[in-house]
């Protein structure tokens, strides 16, 4: 049995008991299902059989080397947006010929590193970035393959913090200005214009939005064709949402393929999914430290905090919380699940109806594989969590828990302060 399912009354990850892993690793920790990760990647490959697809997994969602390696083994490329992400993708053995470099604030150093590594393409976010890239490529005797990131001015109907395709967004070149910027790009000596890119937002629930975007992009691609700018690929970014709540509908890659594949023609299609590949493949396992009843609320105080999983605090995001041992007490109660951090915004769930929970229970916070560990921090001087992956029935630590010495190893106290 793969994924996160109860076997008898015990919640398992790919058939391995989560409580048993917790007894060895100690809570809190992130736990990943290798089978789910692979299945989610494969669902893109299966869905887009009729087009030439390159999946560039968005490693901002989760850049653990073992996750990157698993996807790389399956043929995935990567979307990276920083020096560190490129460094990690290369360390995981991803071919640079499958790496796209994203971001609206690339530095000269990042450009040099990416050019020297031979990345597949840069998604260029502005005209000034284009000029700098041309200069850096010239100075390093390389040619930069580029796509322009265009902003199609489309409302992706998602949380405002992750809506990137609206005209007011900081990302991309307004689509009506893009033709001129393409012409400029084509005239630059060290730039090779090869594609077009757009990423309109994250946690998207409607594939029609991609269609609307693609139609605008294809109109531009035709215009470019007329002025003899011929592209190799169309990159539609990432963004397919996942159901965080029971009964929530989210599109499958097949739904996306059905609607966009007929328009792609002979162009190569690039997609940059992150969340839909790794989100459901990971959970956060946390221990119930205390139960606290006040006259207003019932609190479950757990040992994971907003520094470990920040999504509920900053987006009001919903994550299911379940017990590792099924329903010992059938009676439902209303709880807030809160962490140990010194902020009122430190919560994992609010007003959540759950079977009665007691001190020492283990809670599993679901769908935490994407933007979980990767957004975690040392806030409150807490060490970052270990990550575990179950691979073919065996659990492996794929990142050790940070030590307190790790936490201070870059700090120093000037002599005069002693
Ligand atoms: N491509 C680009 C250019 C992106 O900026 C992103 C995500 C992706 C692809 C992948 O999108 P996905 O398939 O994962 O939706 N921290 C937020 C999500 C931020 C998304 C940032 N960009 C969260 O926890 O919901």
């Amino acid at each position: 049995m793969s994924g996160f399912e109860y076997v008898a009354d015990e919640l398992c990850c790919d058939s391995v008991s989560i409580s048993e892993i917790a007894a060895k690793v100690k809570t809190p920790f992130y736990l990943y299902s290798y089978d789910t990760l692979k299945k989610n990647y494969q669902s893109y490959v299966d869905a887009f059989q009729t087009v030439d697809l390159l999946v560039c997994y968005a490693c901002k969602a989760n850049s653990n080397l073992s996750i990157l390696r698993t996807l790389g083994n399956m043929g995935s490329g990567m979307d990276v947006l920083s020096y560190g992400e490129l460094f990690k993708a290369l360390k995981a053995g991803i071919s640079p010929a499958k790496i796209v470099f994203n971001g609206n604030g690339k530095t000269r150093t990042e450009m040099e590193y990416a050019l020297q590594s031979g990345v597949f393409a840069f998604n260029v976010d502005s005209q000034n970035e284009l000029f700098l890239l041309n200069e850096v490529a010239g100075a390093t005797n390389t040619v930069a393959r580029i796509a322009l990131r265009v902003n199609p001015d489309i409302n992706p109907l998602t949380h405002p913090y992750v809506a990137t395709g609206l005209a007011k967004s900081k990302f991309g070149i307004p689509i009506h200005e893009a033709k001129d910027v393409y012409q400029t790009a084509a005239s630059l000596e060290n730039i090779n214009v090869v594609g077009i890119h757009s990423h309109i937002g994250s946690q998207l629930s409607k594939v029609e939005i991609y269609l609307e975007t693609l139609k605008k992009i294809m109109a531009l691609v035709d215009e470019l064709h007329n002025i003899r700018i011929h592209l190799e690929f169309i990159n539609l970014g990432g963004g397919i949402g996942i159901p965080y709540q029971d009964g929530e509908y989210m599109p499958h890659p097949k739904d996306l393929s059905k609607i966009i594949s007929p328009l792609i023609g002979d162009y190569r299609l690039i997609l940059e999914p992150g969340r839909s590949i790794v989100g459901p493949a990971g959970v956060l396992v946390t221990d119930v430290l205390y139960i606290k009843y006040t006259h207003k609320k019932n609190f479950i105080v757990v040992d994971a905090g907003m520094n470990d999983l920040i999504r509920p605090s900053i987006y009001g995001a919903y994550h299911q919380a379940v017990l590792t041992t099924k329903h010992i007490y059938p009676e439902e109660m209303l709880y807030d699940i809160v962490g140990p951090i010194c902020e009122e915004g430190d919560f994992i769930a609010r007003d959540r109806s759950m079977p009665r929970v007691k001190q020492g229970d283990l809670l599993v916070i679901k769908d935490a594989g994407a933007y979980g560990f990767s957004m975690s921090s040392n806030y409150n001087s807490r060490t970052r969590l270990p990550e575990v992956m179950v691979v073919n029935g065996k659990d492996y630590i794929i990142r050790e828990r940070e030590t307190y010495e790790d936490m201070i190893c870059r700090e120093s106290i000037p002599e005069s302060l002693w």
Side-chain angles (χ1 to χ4, degrees):
M1 195 181 289
S2 66
F4 298 93
E5 300 206 27
Y6 287 95
V7 177
D9 280 344
E10 270 295 303
L11 189 60
C12 291
C13 172
D14 293 356
S15 298
V16 179
S17 151
I18 296 180
S19 317
E20 279 172 27
I21 300 174
K24 286 189 284 187
V25 180
K26 308 285 180 259
T27 57
F29 63 96
Y30 276 98
L31 176 63
Y32 306 113
S33 151
Y34 176 73
D35 285 350
T36 309
L37 188 63
K38 289 205 309 180
K39 188 185 84 194
N40 292 346
Y41 173 81
Q42 192 59 37
S43 66
Y44 277 91
V45 176
D46 293 346
F48 286 89
Q49 289 294 324
T50 60
V51 296
D52 177 13
L53 172 72
L54 175 65
V55 174
C56 289
Y57 163 70
C59 67
K60 55 182 80 70
N62 188 320
S63 62
N64 182 287
L65 294 182
S66 293
I67 303 264
L68 303 189
R69 182 75 200 166
T70 302
L71 296 171
N73 284 342
M74 297 188 76
S76 183
M78 300 279 144
D79 145 27
V80 303
L81 98 156
S82 67
Y83 195 110
E85 285 189 354
L86 177 55
F87 174 79
K88 291 187 85 175
L90 296 174
K91 281 280 175 206
I94 306 301
S95 161
K98 290 183 175 179
I99 296 179
V100 292
F101 203 109
N102 259 307
N104 66 320
K106 300 177 194 78
T107 64
R108 179 183 282 271
T109 310
E110 286 174 326
M111 289 174 179
E112 282 165 1
Y113 180 40
L115 286 165
Q116 271 151 9
S117 308
V119 297
F120 177 71
F122 290 83
N123 292 330
V124 171
D125 198 82
S126 67
Q127 179 150 294
N128 283 339
E129 180 193 325
L130 192 61
F131 292 144
L132 180 61
L133 186 59
N134 181 51
E135 189 191 313
V136 176
T140 50
N141 274 325
T142 51
V143 171
R145 288 166 50 87
I146 67 114
L148 291 186
R149 176 169 181 168
V150 297
N151 181 328
D153 190 15
I154 280 170
N155 185 353
L157 307 171
T158 186
H159 191 287
Y161 288 6
V162 293
T164 49
L166 284 165
K168 65 179 181 186
S169 161
K170 71 168 178 167
F171 294 104
I173 296 160
I175 198 155
H176 58 273
E177 294 171 19
K179 186 175 163 191
D180 287 351
V181 185
Y182 265 108
Q183 265 178 312
T184 306
S187 72
L188 297 173
E189 208 177 329
N190 310 305
I191 295 288
N192 184 10
V193 176
V194 285
I196 188 160
H197 174 256
S198 176
H199 168 80
I200 47 178
S202 195
Q203 185 59 2
L204 306 184
S205 57
K206 298 212 172 4
V207 282
E208 292 74 16
I209 289 164
Y210 288 93
L211 181 61
E212 222 183 304
T213 305
L214 186 56
K215 281 184 180 161
K216 288 194 174 188
I217 283 182
M218 286 323 250
L220 175 60
V221 168
D222 285 347
E223 274 187 66
L224 294 175
H225 200 73
N226 293 339
I227 56 167
R228 289 189 302 283
I229 296 177
H230 307 297
L231 306 183
E232 286 171 23
F233 67 82
I234 293 165
N235 181 340
L236 284 179
I240 289 193
I242 60 169
Y244 283 100
Q245 306 202 33
D246 271 345
E248 199 179 356
Y249 169 78
M250 283 294 162
H252 185 273
K254 268 193 267 176
D255 304 317
L256 182 62
S257 176
K258 205 195 271 169
I259 206 156
I260 65 171
S261 289
L263 272 77
I264 292 292
D266 290 335
Y267 291 103
R268 181 172 217 196
L269 173 67
I270 297 182
L271 294 175
E272 302 169 344
R275 187 193 315 269
S276 51
I277 288 184
V278 76
V283 297
L284 171 63
V285 184
T286 182
D287 185 45
V288 176
L289 297 174
Y290 303 103
I291 304 290
K292 176 170 161 180
Y293 302 111
T294 70
H295 65 285
K296 288 269 189 209
K297 290 255 183 188
N298 304 320
F299 294 101
I300 301 173
V301 183
V302 294
D303 60 359
M306 65 190 282
N307 70 302
D308 303 310
L309 177 66
I310 203 168
R311 303 194 67 259
S313 304
I314 61 175
Y315 313 117
Y318 184 103
H319 285 267
Q320 272 188 42
V322 296
L323 289 162
T324 50
T325 307
K326 219 174 181 176
H327 301 196
I328 303 174
Y329 303 99
E331 162 205 8
E332 297 260 323
M333 310 240 321
L334 210 56
Y335 291 108
D336 276 16
I337 305 174
V338 299
I341 303 284
C342 60
E343 296 213 19
E344 207 43 47
D346 174 32
F347 65 93
I348 286 174
R350 282 193 162 146
D351 297 321
R352 192 67 60 85
S353 178
M354 292 184 66
R356 184 188 275 260
V357 174
K358 59 179 190 348
Q359 202 165 334
D361 280 345
L362 279 179
L363 281 185
V364 168
I365 312 305
K366 295 183 85 176
D367 302 307
Y371 308 109
F373 185 90
S374 68
M375 293 179 81
S376 68
S377 77
N378 288 119
Y379 187 42
N380 275 204
S381 291
R382 287 162 53 85
T383 52
R384 262 176 298 180
L385 303 188
E387 294 176 286
V388 180
M389 181 153 72
V390 176
V391 182
N392 301 330
K394 186 169 160 28
D395 48 298
Y396 294 87
I397 297 204
I398 57 171
R399 183 182 163 112
E400 300 272 358
R401 189 184 303 281
E402 236 171 33
T403 66
Y404 294 104
E405 288 300 326
D406 289 337
M407 213 168 61
I408 59 167
C409 72
R410 306 270 162 213
E411 296 183 28
S412 55
I413 305 175
E415 199 60 39
S416 60
L417 292 184
W418 285 105

